Amino acid sequence: MLHYDAYMRTTLTLDEDVARLIEEEVHRSRTSMKLVVNAAIRTALAAKQERREPYRTRVHHAVLAPGLDVSGFNRLADELEDEVIIDLAEQ
């Protein structure tokens, strides 16, 4: 778990285009780099959380083919489980 004080100092290596955008905003807004970077990160992360849509799946309605014995599925599962139990007992 990360622990940090109210103010966390860190060193970032920015791409040239990002550094230029930050410098332009510092100049345009006549504020500090710290305020510009914090505001940009807050805005980007908040927007990302708002865009996140809930996970959805599509329902697939399956129909058994004619002639399949539904109880046969359980019988097969029981037989496979029995084989595993016998193999473990033999070891």
Side-chain angles (χ1 to χ4, degrees), residues 29-67:
S29 64
R30 297 181 184 198
T31 187
S32 70
M33 181 181 287
K34 174 185 165 183
L35 291 176
V36 169
V37 170
N38 281 317
I41 291 172
R42 265 190 212 97
T43 301
L45 293 177
K48 185 175 183 178
Q49 287 178 348
E50 291 172 5
R51 283 192 309 252
R52 186 174 296 163
E53 295 180 18
Y55 181 75
R56 304 248 191 252
T57 59
R58 292 187 180 151
V59 176
H60 175 75
H61 297 284
V63 179
L64 290 176

Side-chain angles (χ1 to χ4, degrees), residues 3-81:
H3 174 75
Y4 52 90
D5 296 327
Y7 297 100
M8 184 175 83
R9 286 186 175 265
T10 190
T11 301
L12 297 173
T13 303
L14 301 173
D15 293 340
E16 286 182 33
D17 60 322
V18 174
R20 186 174 49 255
L21 290 169
I22 291 172
E23 289 172 1
E24 289 172 0
E25 184 59 26
V26 166
H27 179 72
R28 185 175 28 257
S29 64
R30 297 181 184 198
T31 187
S32 70
M33 181 181 287
K34 174 185 165 183
L35 291 176
V36 169
V37 170
N38 281 317
I41 291 172
R42 265 190 212 97
T43 301
L45 293 177
K48 185 175 183 178
Q49 287 178 348
E50 291 172 5
R51 283 192 309 252
R52 186 174 296 163
E53 295 180 18
Y55 181 75
R56 304 248 191 252
T57 59
R58 292 187 180 151
V59 176
H60 175 75
H61 297 284
V63 179
L64 290 176
L68 287 180
D69 180 14
V70 177
S71 63
F73 293 130
N74 289 334
R75 193 174 331 113
L76 175 61
D78 291 341
E79 290 172 7
L80 292 172
E81 184 180 12

